[in-house]
Amino acid sequence: MMPGAVIIGAGPGIGQSVARRLAREGLPITLVARSEKTLTAAAEALSATGVPIRPLVADSTDERALRTALDTAIEEFGLPDVVVYNAAIIQADSLGELSVSAHLDAWAVNVVGAINAAARVVPAMAERGSGTFLITGGMPEPKPQYLSLSLGKAGVRSLVALLDQQYGASGVHVATVTVGGPVAPGTDFDPDVIAEHYWRLHTQPQHEWEREVLHSGRTDGTKMSESRISPSRMCGSSTRATSPTGSSSPADPTCRSDW
């Protein structure tokens, strides 16, 4: 059995779409999310693929729980070929509006969870000589009305650059897929279309590796408009209000998203 893929943040939208895209290639899938309800829906969405599926409950901000989930995935399927970090807190906030605690909470989900996931799998991938670590990004340009998210996505870009500098030469492809609009099925930001970027990045030859792909929508019904930088959440509810961050956010303007 091939080692497979781990999706951290396996909620509706990008998370489940990426899981389905990778499952189509026969990869066993480990799904990680905060709730049994989310995992049940994600596993059901993959059931028709016929690949082995392992749902695991873990909060991306709980270092021990996240590490345990990754350890379980490795014990069952082996060191994964690809890990996707796909969790974020999406909220509207301007300078001075958030408490220190709220800023730390946002940073923990948007950046530190990705750091902890990378720390568990990326050095092992480098030792093996191959692997892909992908992070869902957003905010192609920072916006003052989305201060914490803008800082978080800037942190993601820096993390990707640092991991690439340290482990790229050892065969680990680290990259971010930056989503430049509100994610929703049937739109220019359809999660199934966005998921193609993840598969393409995972299968890129090393001499063509990109560190960032920007999904900026489609110019017509079939052609995707895409900007690449090289070398180197949708929160699932129909009541959510669109934000300019590359995902959707709820009317309550804070959304803890498993994408």
Side-chain angles (χ1 to χ4, degrees):
M1 182 182 296
M2 64 182 70
V6 177
I7 311 296
I8 301 168
I14 292 175
Q16 289 184 21
S17 289
V18 172
R20 285 195 301 269
R21 181 64 185 88
L22 298 177
R24 276 168 45 196
E25 305 298 331
L27 277 68
I29 304 293
T30 299
L31 303 166
V32 181
R34 290 174 299 142
S35 74
E36 290 282 2
K37 182 179 179 181
T38 297
L39 288 170
T40 298
E44 289 177 353
L46 292 177
S47 60
T49 66
V51 302
I53 302 165
R54 183 63 159 100
L56 298 169
V57 174
D59 192 310
S60 62
T61 65
D62 184 333
E63 182 180 4
R64 179 176 294 180
L66 182 57
R67 187 176 184 90
T68 297
L70 291 169
D71 286 346
T72 300
I74 291 168
E75 288 170 7
E76 294 196 12
F77 299 132
L79 182 67
D81 287 325
V82 54
V83 174
V84 176
Y85 186 84
N86 195 55
I89 286 184
I90 302 165
Q91 60 190 1
D93 56 77
S94 298
L95 184 67
E97 290 185 355
L98 289 188
S99 67
V100 170
S101 176
H103 270 294
L104 292 175
D105 288 345
W107 188 257
V109 177
N110 296 340
V111 182
V112 179
I115 292 173
N116 288 333
R120 176 62 186 92
V121 298
V122 171
M125 288 175 171
E127 185 175 348
R128 182 180 62 190
S130 66
T132 306
F133 189 85
L134 303 174
I135 306 176
T136 301
M139 305 301 296
E141 297 293 336
K143 297 181 183 297
Q145 66 269 38
Y146 287 89
L147 179 65
S148 65
L149 189 61
S150 294
L151 292 173
K153 295 311 181 183
V156 163
R157 290 187 182 91
S158 293
L159 175 60
V160 166
L162 292 169
L163 291 173
D164 177 64
Q165 289 172 23
Q166 187 168 1
Y167 297 105
S170 298
V172 183
H173 188 187
V174 184
T176 178
V177 177
T178 298
V179 183
V183 177
T187 71
D188 286 350
F189 297 90
D190 189 305
D192 287 344
V193 176
I194 294 168
E196 293 295 332
H197 294 300
Y198 293 78
W199 177 248
R200 186 178 62 77
L201 285 168
H202 176 51
T203 57
Q204 274 183 336
Q206 188 166 354
H207 69 278
E208 296 179 2
W209 279 1
E210 298 161 284
R211 279 206 316 232
E212 180 171 6
V213 171
L214 170 62
H215 181 91
S216 55
R218 291 177 295 181
T219 57
D220 56 37
T222 58
K223 184 179 179 181
M224 193 166 9
S225 173
E226 174 185 313
S227 172
R228 302 170 185 168
I229 299 174
S230 62
S232 316
R233 235 177 240 240
M234 171 180 166
C235 298
S237 169
S238 60
T239 62
R240 303 191 187 281
T242 297
S243 77
T245 64
S247 49
S248 299
S249 58
D252 146 11
T254 300
C255 171
R256 171 67 191 275
S257 172
D258 288 317
W259 293 75

